[in-house]
């Protein structure tokens, strides 16, 4: 309990790019997975830039499957065709 009597239920930290640098980068991971699914030669740097821009533009991110899927879609936006 805190001094005010409330119970702390969660503590979150923004560590990616703040306390630690992810390795391999998001772009490298996405590029590797895309290549395994037949989408080859995607730029890891561009994927990382797209992901970072998409993440910064988020408000009220709920960490749902749908929110993550939309974020990943934005990372790939303009770099390959969407699956039918």
């Amino acid at each position: 309990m805190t001094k005010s009597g409330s119970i702390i239920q969660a503590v979150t930290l923004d560590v990616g790019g703040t306390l630690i640098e992810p390795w391999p980068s998001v772009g490298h991971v996405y590029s590797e997975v895309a290549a395994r699914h037949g989408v080859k030669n995607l730029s890891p740097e561009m994927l990382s830039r797209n992901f970072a821009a998409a993440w910064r533009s988020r408000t009220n991110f709920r960490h749902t499957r749908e929110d993550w899927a939309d974020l990943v879609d934005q990372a790939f936006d303009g770099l390959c065709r969407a699956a039918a």
Side-chain angles (χ1 to χ4, degrees):
M1 288 200 161
T2 65
K3 288 182 182 181
S4 67
S6 64
I7 297 173
I8 298 172
Q9 294 183 349
V11 176
T12 62
L13 302 171
D14 174 20
V15 297
T18 306
L19 298 175
I20 60 172
E21 196 61 40
W23 186 88
S25 71
V26 168
H28 281 89
V29 172
Y30 285 6
S31 177
E32 220 174 88
V33 172
R36 287 196 307 248
H37 291 275
V39 182
K40 300 191 183 304
N41 301 319
L42 290 178
S43 164
E45 293 78 16
M46 185 59 76
L47 284 164
S48 287
R49 277 194 293 273
N50 283 1
F51 180 86
W55 182 257
R56 282 190 305 272
S57 73
R58 294 284 165 193
T59 57
N60 301 321
F61 192 74
R62 297 167 305 186
H63 296 86
T64 62
R65 184 177 294 248
E66 292 80 19
D67 280 359
W68 280 111
D70 187 46
L71 186 66
V72 172
D73 285 347
Q74 285 187 301
F76 281 89
D77 192 35
L79 300 178
C80 60
R81 290 189 323 210

